[in-house]
Amino acid sequence: MALDMELEKVLRAPALVMVDYPAKVITLANSKKMIVRQAKREEVPILLDAVRPTMTIERDFYDIVGARLYAELLGWYRHRVRNEYCLVGQIDGYVVGIVNGRMVDQAIGMSYHTIAIDRGLKIGAHLFAAKMEYHIEYLGQQEVWITAESPIGFRRWMIEYSLIQQDGVQHELGGATSYKLTRDLYFASKSRLVAGSRPVPEALLKYAQENLLVADEKTIRENICGTIGREP
C-alpha cells in the first residue's frame, strides 16, 4: 500500500519513549515453558492470524474481546494508536496468549485486552500479571486503568487484585465500570500473582523470537472451547 508520507506525519500519533519489557519464562502447570516477550510492530500480521479465529467464538465473550483486540493491534500496526504495546506468550514458538495496552502519560497506563488462545493453564492470568508488571515496574507508572468485558475477567482482575473502583471515570474501552491498580496494590499482590524468571535462556528466547507460530483455526477453537468448538 503506497503511502503519502507527508500526510502520514499528520495522521500518525506522536509517541512517548517506552522502555522494552524484558522477556521472562514461566513454567506452567503442565511443565511447559512459556516465553513472555514484547511483540514487535512488524509481527502484528502474524498475531492477527492468531486472533482472527476467536472472533466467532461466543463462549466467555471471546468474540468481542477478539474483535476489539484485532482492531487495536491493527491500529498499532498502522500507527493510529498512541503509545501502544503488545506482549505475547509463546510455547514452543506457538502463540498461546496476547495482552496489550498503552501509556496515557507518564503516570497513567491503560489496560486494553487479555486473551488466552490455550486455556486451562492460567495463561491469561500470567499474561495479565506481566502486563501490570510492565506498567508499574518498567514504565514506572503510578496506576493502571482496567475494565472487564467478561465474568472471568472481572473475577481474575477486579477481585484477585482488589482493584479500586473509579466512580465517574471513563475507561477508553467504553461504558463498563472503570477500576485502577495502584503501585501499592500491585506490590501487595506481586508475590502471589506475578510469576516467571529472568533472564530467559538464550536458546529459548532466540527460538521464540525467530519462530512466531500460529496454530490452525481448528486447533485454536478446540483449545478454547474443547471438541464442541470445532464448528462455528
Side-chain angles (χ1 to χ4, degrees):
M1 180 175 64
L3 297 177
D4 181 334
M5 293 310 299
E6 289 302 313
L7 185 54
E8 270 295 298
K9 292 178 183 179
V10 177
L11 296 175
R12 291 187 178 188
L16 295 173
V17 176
M18 298 170 64
V19 299
D20 290 338
Y21 177 81
K24 65 180 179 181
V25 58
I26 300 173
T27 302
L28 302 175
N30 63 355
S31 298
K32 289 281 192 177
K33 306 289 187 182
M34 178 172 72
I35 308 301
V36 182
R37 67 173 180 88
Q38 190 149 16
K40 300 175 182 178
R41 195 189 303 267
E42 57 266 30
E43 293 177 314
V44 166
I46 299 173
L47 297 178
L48 294 181
D49 287 341
V51 174
R52 193 175 293 111
T54 70
M55 295 192 292
T56 59
I57 298 174
E58 295 183 11
R59 180 176 179 177
D60 295 329
F61 298 90
Y62 262 83
D63 50 1
I64 188 169
V65 172
R68 297 184 109 181
L69 176 59
Y70 191 100
E72 290 155 5
L73 291 176
L74 190 57
W76 176 44
Y77 185 63
R78 298 296 186 197
H79 298 271
R80 294 300 184 266
V81 184
R82 185 176 301 191
N83 310 322
E84 187 174 348
Y85 68 86
C86 172
L87 306 182
V88 59
Q90 292 171 262
I91 298 176
D92 298 329
Y94 282 90
V95 177
V96 293
I98 301 169
V99 292
N100 70 328
R102 77 178 193 90
M103 289 182 74
V104 177
D105 53 33
Q106 296 293 345
I108 298 174
M110 191 72 59
S111 174
Y112 279 168
H113 287 97
T114 298
I115 198 164
I117 297 170
D118 197 347
R119 299 185 68 175
L121 297 169
K122 297 187 69 175
I123 286 170
H126 284 312
L127 290 176
F128 180 86
K131 176 163 56 168
M132 298 303 107
E133 179 188 37
Y134 184 40
H135 279 286
I136 299 297
E137 296 199 47
Y138 295 100
L139 296 178
Q141 298 192 289
Q142 297 303 307
E143 58 189 53
V144 187
W145 293 7
I146 301 159
T147 192
E149 292 172 320
S150 71
I152 288 177
F154 187 87
R155 291 192 295 270
R156 286 289 191 194
W157 324 145
M158 284 61 185
I159 295 176
E160 286 196 11
Y161 284 82
S162 300
L163 299 183
I164 299 169
Q165 185 170 326
Q166 301 191 94
D167 295 326
V169 174
Q170 180 67 65
H171 192 282
E172 289 182 1
L173 292 183
T177 302
S178 179
Y179 292 78
K180 69 179 178 181
L181 176 77
T182 63
R183 293 183 67 84
D184 286 345
L185 284 177
Y186 169 78
F187 285 109
S189 303
K190 179 180 176 179
S191 62
R192 182 169 52 90
L193 298 171
V194 181
S197 61
R198 297 183 176 91
V200 180
E202 184 178 350
L204 278 178
L205 182 57
K206 183 179 180 182
Y207 185 85
Q209 292 170 333
E210 295 179 355
N211 298 274
L212 186 61
L213 307 175
V214 176
D216 60 82
E217 182 173 352
K218 176 184 175 183
T219 299
I220 290 174
R221 293 186 65 87
E222 289 186 359
N223 286 344
I224 293 172
C225 301
T227 56
I228 62 171
R230 289 178 177 170
E231 297 299 332

